mmCIF file of all heavy atoms in Angstrom:
data_model
loop_
_atom_site.group_PDB
_atom_site.id
_atom_site.type_symbol
_atom_site.label_atom_id
_atom_site.label_comp_id
_atom_site.label_asym_id
_atom_site.label_seq_id
_atom_site.Cartn_x
_atom_site.Cartn_y
_atom_site.Cartn_z
ATOM 1 N N THR A 1 214.288 171.138 39.365
ATOM 2 C CA THR A 1 213.125 171.655 38.640
ATOM 3 C C THR A 1 211.960 171.890 39.583
ATOM 4 O O THR A 1 211.265 172.915 39.513
ATOM 5 C CB THR A 1 212.709 170.680 37.534
ATOM 6 O OG1 THR A 1 213.768 170.576 36.582
ATOM 7 C CG2 THR A 1 211.445 171.152 36.823
ATOM 8 N N SER A 2 211.716 170.941 40.463
ATOM 9 C CA SER A 2 210.606 171.055 41.398
ATOM 10 C C SER A 2 210.725 172.308 42.256
ATOM 11 O O SER A 2 209.739 173.026 42.467
ATOM 12 C CB SER A 2 210.557 169.809 42.293
ATOM 13 O OG SER A 2 209.530 169.897 43.233
ATOM 14 N N VAL A 3 211.920 172.589 42.738
ATOM 15 C CA VAL A 3 212.123 173.785 43.554
ATOM 16 C C VAL A 3 212.003 175.037 42.694
ATOM 17 O O VAL A 3 211.384 176.029 43.102
ATOM 18 C CB VAL A 3 213.492 173.733 44.253
ATOM 19 C CG1 VAL A 3 213.768 175.028 45.009
ATOM 20 C CG2 VAL A 3 213.545 172.543 45.204
ATOM 21 N N ARG A 4 212.554 175.005 41.500
ATOM 22 C CA ARG A 4 212.518 176.165 40.609
ATOM 23 C C ARG A 4 211.086 176.553 40.259
ATOM 24 O O ARG A 4 210.759 177.746 40.151
ATOM 25 C CB ARG A 4 213.299 175.841 39.330
ATOM 26 C CG ARG A 4 213.383 176.982 38.333
ATOM 27 C CD ARG A 4 214.388 178.030 38.750
ATOM 28 N NE ARG A 4 214.663 178.975 37.683
ATOM 29 C CZ ARG A 4 215.671 179.831 37.678
ATOM 30 N NH1 ARG A 4 216.520 179.839 38.687
ATOM 31 N NH2 ARG A 4 215.859 180.659 36.670
ATOM 32 N N ARG A 5 210.223 175.571 40.062
ATOM 33 C CA ARG A 5 208.838 175.855 39.680
ATOM 34 C C ARG A 5 207.985 176.295 40.859
ATOM 35 O O ARG A 5 206.842 176.719 40.661
ATOM 36 C CB ARG A 5 208.232 174.613 39.014
ATOM 37 C CG ARG A 5 208.822 174.327 37.661
ATOM 38 C CD ARG A 5 208.175 173.126 37.003
ATOM 39 N NE ARG A 5 208.821 172.827 35.727
ATOM 40 C CZ ARG A 5 208.557 171.761 34.978
ATOM 41 N NH1 ARG A 5 207.641 170.885 35.387
ATOM 42 N NH2 ARG A 5 209.193 171.564 33.833
ATOM 43 N N SER A 6 208.511 176.176 42.048
ATOM 44 C CA SER A 6 207.788 176.614 43.234
ATOM 45 C C SER A 6 208.065 178.089 43.486
ATOM 46 O O SER A 6 209.152 178.458 43.935
ATOM 47 C CB SER A 6 208.214 175.789 44.447
ATOM 48 O OG SER A 6 207.699 176.342 45.626
ATOM 49 N N LYS A 7 207.092 178.940 43.192
ATOM 50 C CA LYS A 7 207.268 180.372 43.470
ATOM 51 C C LYS A 7 207.290 180.638 44.968
ATOM 52 O O LYS A 7 207.742 181.696 45.412
ATOM 53 C CB LYS A 7 206.155 181.171 42.808
ATOM 54 C CG LYS A 7 205.987 180.894 41.325
ATOM 55 C CD LYS A 7 207.253 181.134 40.544
ATOM 56 C CE LYS A 7 207.074 180.777 39.076
ATOM 57 N NZ LYS A 7 208.324 180.838 38.319
ATOM 58 N N GLY A 8 206.801 179.651 45.733
ATOM 59 C CA GLY A 8 206.835 179.784 47.176
ATOM 60 C C GLY A 8 208.243 179.894 47.718
ATOM 61 O O GLY A 8 208.438 180.406 48.827
ATOM 62 N N ARG A 9 209.232 179.437 46.970
ATOM 63 C CA ARG A 9 210.622 179.521 47.423
ATOM 64 C C ARG A 9 211.055 180.972 47.591
ATOM 65 O O ARG A 9 212.028 181.260 48.311
ATOM 66 C CB ARG A 9 211.548 178.817 46.431
ATOM 67 C CG ARG A 9 211.850 179.604 45.167
ATOM 68 C CD ARG A 9 212.654 178.818 44.150
ATOM 69 N NE ARG A 9 213.185 179.670 43.089
ATOM 70 C CZ ARG A 9 212.488 180.118 42.052
ATOM 71 N NH1 ARG A 9 211.214 179.772 41.919
ATOM 72 N NH2 ARG A 9 213.057 180.896 41.152
ATOM 73 N N LEU A 10 210.365 181.887 46.909
ATOM 74 C CA LEU A 10 210.734 183.303 46.931
ATOM 75 C C LEU A 10 210.087 184.058 48.082
ATOM 76 O O LEU A 10 210.422 185.221 48.319
ATOM 77 C CB LEU A 10 210.346 183.971 45.607
ATOM 78 C CG LEU A 10 210.959 183.342 44.350
ATOM 79 C CD1 LEU A 10 210.409 184.009 43.104
ATOM 80 C CD2 LEU A 10 212.479 183.442 44.393
ATOM 81 N N ILE A 11 209.164 183.396 48.807
ATOM 82 C CA ILE A 11 208.497 184.084 49.919
ATOM 83 C C ILE A 11 208.525 183.283 51.218
ATOM 84 O O ILE A 11 208.231 183.836 52.274
ATOM 85 C CB ILE A 11 207.035 184.439 49.578
ATOM 86 C CG1 ILE A 11 206.201 183.177 49.370
ATOM 87 C CG2 ILE A 11 206.943 185.348 48.377
ATOM 88 C CD1 ILE A 11 204.721 183.465 49.253
ATOM 89 N N GLN A 12 208.874 182.000 51.161
ATOM 90 C CA GLN A 12 208.846 181.169 52.364
ATOM 91 C C GLN A 12 210.187 180.467 52.569
ATOM 92 O O GLN A 12 210.588 179.631 51.767
ATOM 93 C CB GLN A 12 207.726 180.119 52.283
ATOM 94 C CG GLN A 12 207.580 179.304 53.559
ATOM 95 C CD GLN A 12 206.577 178.176 53.407
ATOM 96 O OE1 GLN A 12 206.595 177.431 52.435
ATOM 97 N NE2 GLN A 12 205.689 178.036 54.397
ATOM 98 N N PRO A 13 210.904 180.771 53.657
ATOM 99 C CA PRO A 13 212.129 180.023 53.976
ATOM 100 C C PRO A 13 211.796 178.562 54.261
ATOM 101 O O PRO A 13 210.690 178.229 54.688
ATOM 102 C CB PRO A 13 212.661 180.723 55.231
ATOM 103 C CG PRO A 13 212.006 182.070 55.235
ATOM 104 C CD PRO A 13 210.660 181.864 54.615
ATOM 105 N N VAL A 14 212.752 177.689 54.057
ATOM 106 C CA VAL A 14 212.503 176.259 54.232
ATOM 107 C C VAL A 14 212.210 175.913 55.693
ATOM 108 O O VAL A 14 211.431 174.986 55.977
ATOM 109 C CB VAL A 14 213.698 175.445 53.690
ATOM 110 C CG1 VAL A 14 214.934 175.606 54.560
ATOM 111 C CG2 VAL A 14 213.331 173.981 53.536
ATOM 112 N N THR A 15 212.778 176.673 56.641
ATOM 113 C CA THR A 15 212.480 176.428 58.050
ATOM 114 C C THR A 15 211.045 176.831 58.384
ATOM 115 O O THR A 15 210.396 176.219 59.243
ATOM 116 C CB THR A 15 213.456 177.189 58.956
ATOM 117 O OG1 THR A 15 213.589 178.546 58.471
ATOM 118 C CG2 THR A 15 214.828 176.539 58.953
ATOM 119 N N ASP A 16 210.538 177.850 57.713
ATOM 120 C CA ASP A 16 209.141 178.249 57.897
ATOM 121 C C ASP A 16 208.207 177.192 57.321
ATOM 122 O O ASP A 16 207.154 176.894 57.884
ATOM 123 C CB ASP A 16 208.890 179.598 57.218
ATOM 124 C CG ASP A 16 207.456 180.077 57.383
ATOM 125 O OD1 ASP A 16 207.127 180.591 58.460
ATOM 126 O OD2 ASP A 16 206.649 179.926 56.433
ATOM 127 N N SER A 17 208.590 176.602 56.183
ATOM 128 C CA SER A 17 207.807 175.511 55.608
ATOM 129 C C SER A 17 207.707 174.361 56.595
ATOM 130 O O SER A 17 206.636 173.753 56.754
ATOM 131 C CB SER A 17 208.446 175.034 54.305
ATOM 132 O OG SER A 17 207.766 173.913 53.784
ATOM 133 N N SER A 18 208.812 174.056 57.274
ATOM 134 C CA SER A 18 208.813 172.998 58.278
ATOM 135 C C SER A 18 207.904 173.348 59.445
ATOM 136 O O SER A 18 207.061 172.544 59.859
ATOM 137 C CB SER A 18 210.242 172.768 58.780
ATOM 138 O OG SER A 18 210.265 171.907 59.898
ATOM 139 N N PHE A 19 208.045 174.534 59.978
ATOM 140 C CA PHE A 19 207.271 174.937 61.151
ATOM 141 C C PHE A 19 205.775 174.931 60.856
ATOM 142 O O PHE A 19 204.961 174.568 61.704
ATOM 143 C CB PHE A 19 207.717 176.333 61.598
ATOM 144 C CG PHE A 19 207.267 176.697 62.984
ATOM 145 C CD1 PHE A 19 207.991 176.295 64.087
ATOM 146 C CD2 PHE A 19 206.110 177.435 63.184
ATOM 147 C CE1 PHE A 19 207.576 176.628 65.382
ATOM 148 C CE2 PHE A 19 205.679 177.768 64.460
ATOM 149 C CZ PHE A 19 206.418 177.362 65.569
ATOM 150 N N ASN A 20 205.413 175.324 59.651
ATOM 151 C CA ASN A 20 204.008 175.401 59.256
ATOM 152 C C ASN A 20 203.545 174.188 58.459
ATOM 153 O O ASN A 20 202.545 174.259 57.741
ATOM 154 C CB ASN A 20 203.766 176.676 58.451
ATOM 155 C CG ASN A 20 203.814 177.918 59.321
ATOM 156 O OD1 ASN A 20 202.912 178.175 60.108
ATOM 157 N ND2 ASN A 20 204.892 178.690 59.199
ATOM 158 N N ALA A 21 204.250 173.071 58.605
ATOM 159 C CA ALA A 21 203.854 171.857 57.901
ATOM 160 C C ALA A 21 202.420 171.461 58.230
ATOM 161 O O ALA A 21 201.688 170.951 57.380
ATOM 162 C CB ALA A 21 204.798 170.714 58.266
ATOM 163 N N TRP A 22 202.013 171.723 59.457
ATOM 164 C CA TRP A 22 200.688 171.314 59.929
ATOM 165 C C TRP A 22 199.559 171.995 59.174
ATOM 166 O O TRP A 22 198.441 171.449 59.119
ATOM 167 C CB TRP A 22 200.568 171.642 61.421
ATOM 168 C CG TRP A 22 201.603 170.946 62.226
ATOM 169 C CD1 TRP A 22 202.843 171.407 62.564
ATOM 170 C CD2 TRP A 22 201.506 169.640 62.788
ATOM 171 N NE1 TRP A 22 203.520 170.478 63.305
ATOM 172 C CE2 TRP A 22 202.719 169.378 63.461
ATOM 173 C CE3 TRP A 22 200.510 168.670 62.800
ATOM 174 C CZ2 TRP A 22 202.960 168.188 64.130
ATOM 175 C CZ3 TRP A 22 200.739 167.478 63.468
ATOM 176 C CH2 TRP A 22 201.964 167.242 64.126
ATOM 177 N N THR A 23 199.813 173.132 58.632
ATOM 178 C CA THR A 23 198.754 173.869 57.940
ATOM 179 C C THR A 23 199.090 174.087 56.473
ATOM 180 O O THR A 23 198.386 173.617 55.592
ATOM 181 C CB THR A 23 198.509 175.221 58.636
ATOM 182 O OG1 THR A 23 199.768 175.912 58.779
ATOM 183 C CG2 THR A 23 197.889 175.021 60.002
ATOM 184 N N LYS A 24 200.196 174.752 56.208
ATOM 185 C CA LYS A 24 200.483 175.140 54.826
ATOM 186 C C LYS A 24 200.923 173.962 53.958
ATOM 187 O O LYS A 24 200.407 173.761 52.860
ATOM 188 C CB LYS A 24 201.538 176.249 54.800
ATOM 189 C CG LYS A 24 201.039 177.574 55.339
ATOM 190 C CD LYS A 24 202.060 178.690 55.142
ATOM 191 C CE LYS A 24 201.505 180.024 55.614
ATOM 192 N NZ LYS A 24 202.477 181.133 55.386
ATOM 193 N N TYR A 25 201.888 173.164 54.444
ATOM 194 C CA TYR A 25 202.407 172.111 53.575
ATOM 195 C C TYR A 25 201.412 170.961 53.427
ATOM 196 O O TYR A 25 201.194 170.449 52.334
ATOM 197 C CB TYR A 25 203.752 171.579 54.080
ATOM 198 C CG TYR A 25 204.361 170.599 53.105
ATOM 199 C CD1 TYR A 25 205.012 171.046 51.964
ATOM 200 C CD2 TYR A 25 204.230 169.223 53.289
ATOM 201 C CE1 TYR A 25 205.532 170.165 51.040
ATOM 202 C CE2 TYR A 25 204.743 168.333 52.371
ATOM 203 C CZ TYR A 25 205.390 168.805 51.247
ATOM 204 O OH TYR A 25 205.888 167.926 50.307
ATOM 205 N N TYR A 26 200.821 170.528 54.524
ATOM 206 C CA TYR A 26 199.917 169.380 54.470
ATOM 207 C C TYR A 26 198.488 169.756 54.079
ATOM 208 O O TYR A 26 197.663 168.859 53.886
ATOM 209 C CB TYR A 26 199.922 168.636 55.806
ATOM 210 C CG TYR A 26 200.946 167.529 55.842
ATOM 211 C CD1 TYR A 26 202.235 167.750 56.294
ATOM 212 C CD2 TYR A 26 200.628 166.254 55.389
ATOM 213 C CE1 TYR A 26 203.181 166.734 56.308
ATOM 214 C CE2 TYR A 26 201.561 165.230 55.399
ATOM 215 C CZ TYR A 26 202.838 165.476 55.857
ATOM 216 O OH TYR A 26 203.763 164.462 55.859
ATOM 217 N N LYS A 27 198.206 171.036 53.970
ATOM 218 C CA LYS A 27 196.869 171.473 53.563
ATOM 219 C C LYS A 27 196.974 172.441 52.391
ATOM 220 O O LYS A 27 196.425 173.534 52.406
ATOM 221 C CB LYS A 27 196.138 172.115 54.742
ATOM 222 C CG LYS A 27 195.898 171.169 55.904
ATOM 223 C CD LYS A 27 195.142 171.846 57.034
ATOM 224 C CE LYS A 27 194.890 170.892 58.193
ATOM 225 N NZ LYS A 27 194.159 171.535 59.316
ATOM 226 N N GLN A 28 197.684 172.003 51.375
ATOM 227 C CA GLN A 28 197.926 172.883 50.235
ATOM 228 C C GLN A 28 196.656 173.094 49.421
ATOM 229 O O GLN A 28 195.864 172.175 49.218
ATOM 230 C CB GLN A 28 199.024 172.298 49.357
ATOM 231 C CG GLN A 28 200.373 172.236 50.057
ATOM 232 C CD GLN A 28 201.508 171.812 49.146
ATOM 233 O OE1 GLN A 28 201.483 172.090 47.954
ATOM 234 N NE2 GLN A 28 202.512 171.160 49.708
ATOM 235 N N ASP A 29 196.498 174.313 48.939
ATOM 236 C CA ASP A 29 195.387 174.641 48.062
ATOM 237 C C ASP A 29 195.932 175.029 46.696
ATOM 238 O O ASP A 29 197.120 174.830 46.393
ATOM 239 C CB ASP A 29 194.518 175.755 48.659
ATOM 240 C CG ASP A 29 195.313 177.046 48.930
ATOM 241 O OD1 ASP A 29 196.416 177.207 48.361
ATOM 242 O OD2 ASP A 29 194.825 177.881 49.710
ATOM 243 N N GLU A 30 195.078 175.577 45.865
ATOM 244 C CA GLU A 30 195.471 175.899 44.486
ATOM 245 C C GLU A 30 196.547 176.981 44.414
ATOM 246 O O GLU A 30 197.241 177.103 43.406
ATOM 247 C CB GLU A 30 194.240 176.332 43.679
ATOM 248 C CG GLU A 30 193.589 177.630 44.132
ATOM 249 C CD GLU A 30 192.739 177.481 45.385
ATOM 250 O OE1 GLU A 30 192.421 176.326 45.754
ATOM 251 O OE2 GLU A 30 192.407 178.511 45.997
ATOM 252 N N ASN A 31 196.716 177.753 45.501
ATOM 253 C CA ASN A 31 197.738 178.799 45.487
ATOM 254 C C ASN A 31 199.063 178.322 46.065
ATOM 255 O O ASN A 31 200.022 179.087 46.114
ATOM 256 C CB ASN A 31 197.238 180.028 46.272
ATOM 257 C CG ASN A 31 198.129 181.239 46.075
ATOM 258 O OD1 ASN A 31 198.457 181.609 44.945
ATOM 259 N ND2 ASN A 31 198.537 181.866 47.159
ATOM 260 N N ALA A 32 199.148 177.079 46.462
ATOM 261 C CA ALA A 32 200.367 176.569 47.082
ATOM 262 C C ALA A 32 201.616 176.758 46.215
ATOM 263 O O ALA A 32 202.676 177.086 46.745
ATOM 264 C CB ALA A 32 200.192 175.098 47.454
#
């Protein structure tokens, strides 16, 4: 469910999420 509700899954590969953990994942905003 958690993955399904994340629209980010449709634009961000999981390896990109890892690489950008320093900014995107750990600094999530309302559009995350």
Side-chain angles (χ1 to χ4, degrees):
T1 297
S2 178
V3 175
R4 182 77 169 193
R5 290 182 183 174
S6 170
K7 307 303 177 187
R9 77 186 193 281
L10 303 175
I11 64 171
Q12 185 186 47
V14 70
T15 46
D16 181 79
S17 175
S18 171
F19 195 84
N20 288 288
W22 301 91
T23 52
K24 291 187 177 182
Y25 186 79
Y26 268 91
K27 297 181 179 180
Q28 295 187 31
D29 58 18
E30 65 283 345
N31 191 50

